[in-house]
Amino acid sequence: MKEILKAIEEKDVEKVRRLLYYRVDDLSDEELREVLEKAEKLALEAKDWELYKLVLYYYHEVLNEDRINEFEKLAKESEEFEPKFHLADLYYLIGDLEKSLELFRALLEEEVANGNIGHAASIYYSMAMIHEELQEYEKALQLIEKARELYEKLGDEKELLRIEIHRGYITFEAGDTYRGKAIIAGVLPKILNEDELLVEAHLSFEEMFEEVENYEAALQECLYALIRARGTDYEDIAFSSLMDVLWQLFLEDDFETVYLNVDTFSEALPELRDFFEAVKKLALFKDGKVEEEEVKKDVEKVKDPRLLEMLELLGEAEL
């Protein structure tokens, strides 16, 4: 909490956004309310609508306070693109997909009429994600293509590569797994120096392998993603994906796959060695290979409360 408050005091909006996004689970409701009140003031002062969106999202989802009408009033009075775009995205985040689409469509009409290609591309991409959420994959792919055409006009190579990764993933979701893999594989040689895009690619592969219950391959993709995610905003996302795979393996009593593969994480990520050693020992215990006392010794070496909570969850996993 101190780090977030310090970033707010220093008016480092980008850092506040990042910390709020990735560290909110560490806060009690009382602490979160204090942070949100201060962050809201900063967001309005700086006119940073992305931060304001996050603040209202956490009020809604965690504190059960609906304050979106305040954002609606600001967006209605504004002639700028950003508040309207982030308001529409806020509705997407809280799960009101139809309202989000309604706002995005109206905004798209404005931006196309004004010739704002970049804004229109962002809207098409956002609308594609909504249709993906609705499992309307053909429509999502159509909108992805529209976004791609506009980013090509802009010459935005990084966004084109990001879109291609997403297109591969939606193709997989639509049922063509092999084509989806091929599309993402075609991107890999072009993003070797782009850590964030590589993380997105590897996590897409991870979900494809998990879908067909190839858990060793899924774990391998998690490893690649975690290595590339170091020091980026994707680090927590990559770690969460690994935990999802481990959770599934524990649920299915496939402890052997865990303890045979987890050493790769200990070696590649030595700063988390104690945690992965505890995961391995827990899997061995569940498989009847070691005594409970051995597990306790390794768990005691883990000091991070969040990691301890994850170990507790894995220990309780059962069908």
Side-chain angles (χ1 to χ4, degrees), residues 275-291:
F275 170 73
F276 289 120
E277 287 295 328
V279 171
K280 179 179 180 179
K281 201 61 66 73
L282 181 60
L284 286 166
F285 168 69
K286 289 279 190 175
D287 207 28
K289 306 291 185 183
V290 300
E291 298 298 323

Side-chain angles (χ1 to χ4, degrees), residues 117-128:
I117 295 176
H119 290 170
S122 297
I123 296 169
Y124 277 129
Y125 192 30
S126 296
M127 290 173 67

Side-chain angles (χ1 to χ4, degrees), residues 59-318:
Y59 268 123
H60 188 279
E61 295 297 299
V62 181
L63 300 180
N64 297 314
E65 294 183 19
D66 188 349
R67 300 173 56 177
I68 298 176
N69 62 319
E70 298 174 25
F71 202 173
E72 287 180 332
K73 184 179 178 181
L74 285 168
K76 187 175 182 180
E77 293 174 350
S78 177
E79 296 182 1
E80 298 177 1
F81 168 77
E82 292 293 328
K84 297 176 183 179
F85 178 85
H86 286 294
L87 173 62
D89 195 47
L90 176 57
Y91 274 108
Y92 166 69
L93 290 175
I94 67 172
D96 193 341
L97 304 185
E98 291 303 326
K99 181 66 174 180
S100 182
L101 277 174
E102 176 189 334
L103 294 175
F104 274 131
R105 289 183 187 122
L107 185 55
L108 179 63
E109 189 174 335
E110 289 181 22
E111 298 306 310
V112 169
N114 293 329
N116 292 325
I117 295 176
H119 290 170
S122 297
I123 296 169
Y124 277 129
Y125 192 30
S126 296
M127 290 173 67
M129 288 192 287
I130 295 173
H131 284 285
E132 179 188 5
E133 188 76 15
L134 292 167
Q135 298 184 359
E136 297 170 352
Y137 301 123
E138 290 305 316
K139 182 64 176 177
L141 288 169
Q142 291 170 14
L143 290 165
I144 281 280
E145 180 61 23
K146 289 181 180 291
R148 187 190 64 78
E149 290 172 2
L150 294 183
Y151 280 123
E152 275 191 342
K153 286 184 180 180
L154 293 168
D156 192 332
E157 184 64 24
K158 187 169 183 177
E159 281 305 310
L160 283 169
L161 292 168
R162 190 186 306 278
I163 279 178
E164 194 68 356
I165 293 170
H166 202 169
R167 183 171 76 88
Y169 187 73
I170 296 175
T171 300
F172 150 70
E173 289 183 303
D176 194 343
T177 300
Y178 293 104
R179 181 60 191 150
K181 285 181 182 177
I183 290 170
I184 298 174
V187 179
L188 289 178
K190 304 172 186 177
I191 59 174
L192 296 178
N193 296 315
E194 297 283 353
D195 284 340
E196 290 186 359
L197 292 180
L198 277 169
V199 172
E200 290 186 27
H202 285 303
L203 291 183
S204 295
F205 281 135
E206 178 272 310
E207 293 205 28
M208 293 178 186
F209 284 121
E210 188 176 359
E211 178 71 18
V212 295
E213 299 183 5
N214 186 345
Y215 292 117
E216 287 205 6
L219 286 170
Q220 195 70 33
E221 294 299 331
C222 285
L223 178 63
Y224 295 146
L226 276 167
I227 291 170
R228 287 291 187 169
R230 278 174 165 172
T232 75
D233 289 345
Y234 282 66
E235 196 163 358
D236 281 358
I237 296 172
F239 196 81
S240 294
S241 293
L242 170 62
M243 287 305 300
D244 287 344
V245 178
L246 292 174
W247 170 261
Q248 190 61 39
L249 287 167
F250 272 81
L251 277 179
E252 297 183 9
D253 294 345
D254 188 357
F255 308 117
E256 185 176 42
T257 297
V258 176
Y259 60 71
L260 288 180
N261 286 277
V262 78
D263 283 347
T264 60
F265 292 90
S266 295
E267 295 299 325
L269 304 163
E271 67 275 16
L272 292 172
R273 185 183 299 276
D274 287 343
F275 170 73
F276 289 120
E277 287 295 328
V279 171
K280 179 179 180 179
K281 201 61 66 73
L282 181 60
L284 286 166
F285 168 69
K286 289 279 190 175
D287 207 28
K289 306 291 185 183
V290 300
E291 298 298 323
E292 187 174 0
E293 284 303 313
E294 292 189 50
V295 182
K296 289 180 179 179
K297 287 179 182 178
D298 279 328
V299 170
E300 286 172 359
K301 296 177 185 177
V302 180
K303 305 303 180 184
D304 188 319
R306 295 177 71 196
L307 296 179
L308 286 169
E309 184 179 347
M310 292 175 188
L311 288 170
E312 183 177 349
L313 287 171
L314 291 177
E316 294 173 352
E318 57 183 42

